[in-house]
Amino acid sequence: MFHAGFVGLIGLPNAGKSTLINALIGEKVSIVTSKPQTTRQRVMGILNDEDLQTVFVDAPGYVKARVGLNRFLHDEYLSVIEDSDVLFLLLHLDARSSEDFHELVRVAQSSKKPVLGIITKTDRREQHRICVINDLLEKAGIPAVQVAADKNPKELKEKIFPWLRQHLPRSEQPLFDPELYTTQNLKSMASEFIREQCFEFLHQEVPFGLAVHIIRFDEDQPGLTKIHGEIWVNRESHQGIVIGRGGQVLKRIGSSARKSIEEVLGHKVFLDLHVKVKKNWVRDESVMKELGYVVP
Ligand SMILES: Nc1nc2c(ncn2[C@@H]2O[C@H](COP(=O)(O)OP(=O)(O)OP(=O)(O)O)[C@@H](O)[C@H]2O)c(=O)[nH]1
Ligand SMILES: [Mg+2]
């Protein structure tokens, strides 16, 4: 019997959700950075096996604030829970405190969906926390596995697939074309890869108030994709920071992003980036809509 369904990955920001999806799929589906609140919109990674199609849905981490962009992140997080058949609840060993884990467990339980607890980053020093997290999950009646996302994908799959086979709904056929590994189009992937490099090269509040808008994605010429993108910053003072002295920072962002886009496309990319001030866009519903930061 064939099974297929959606697995929502939930956790705090920085729990390792996107890293785990990429490791399972074996492709870069979702961007990863060392900073929290990297993932904004849900991203799907599809894994096909003979008897199973698993659609992993990466979600923003749980945030407490409910204003502007944070409100979108929270709504998107809840909406992924709602739209999933089963949930992976990721609890990471290096979390600043485990206080918010209780809230995550509460929301997961109230969804009434099957939940698998995944303790992540078990290669980290904070091993003593495993007992506390295990205890919390056990009291909530949530089964748990422990992972380190740098382990080989085969090992990761062996830990979670027996549970998935038991809990994903039966299905006559796959939900998506088994040739696909993500539902994202190349244009949104490019935009995310640029944003990833912004997180890499920028610090403090700058990357959090920044968005990438692709103006042109031109594939007319075989073997060359021309991309024109705008980096929207939240404050005037951020424009100069993103550009850097003599344009050096923007150049580095562009060059690294171009390489990762070329890797996915398998051919040359021309990437032209400009920085634009969209004052206080993180609180502006209409700009967020333009960026796709709305839950339907
Ligand atoms: N040591 C270690 N680091 C990890 C592991 N998994 C993820 N990380 C690191 O943790 C950081 C956050 O990983 P992400 O995958 O972006 O986390 P996320 O849960 O998607 O975060 P948001 O999108 O912000 O909610 C990155 O620096 C990863 O390299 C792991 O198993 N071990
Ligand atoms: Mg993420």
Side-chain angles (χ1 to χ4, degrees), residues 124-158:
R124 300 262 323 191
R125 270 185 294 121
E126 297 85 344
Q127 295 286 333
H128 56 280
R129 283 205 166 158
I130 291 184
C131 295
V132 179
I133 300 176
N134 256 330
D135 199 44
L136 173 71
L137 291 170
E138 204 178 311
K139 279 193 183 124
I142 298 173
V145 296
Q146 300 178 9
V147 308
D150 61 346
K151 288 276 152 52
N152 73 55
K154 193 166 164 264
E155 211 173 300
L156 286 175
K157 285 181 197 168
E158 278 166 8

Side-chain angles (χ1 to χ4, degrees), residues 20 63 83 108 115 137 143 146 156 205 241 245 247 254 262 270 287:
L20 183 65
V63 287
D83 295 344
V115 184
L137 291 170
Q146 300 178 9
L156 286 175
E205 85 271 41
I241 298 173
R245 192 173 292 169
E262 281 176 344
F270 168 83
V287 180

Side-chain angles (χ1 to χ4, degrees), residues 14 16-19 30-32 38-39 58-61:
N14 213 38
K17 302 176 290 295
S18 306
T19 306
S30 194
I31 61 170
V32 168
T38 301
T39 305
D58 195 7

Side-chain angles (χ1 to χ4, degrees), residues 2-3 47-54 157 161 165 174 178:
F2 194 81
H3 293 249
L47 198 56
N48 295 290
D49 278 81
E50 262 171 37
D51 58 339
L52 189 72
Q53 183 179 63
T54 318
K157 285 181 197 168
F161 271 56
R165 288 201 164 84

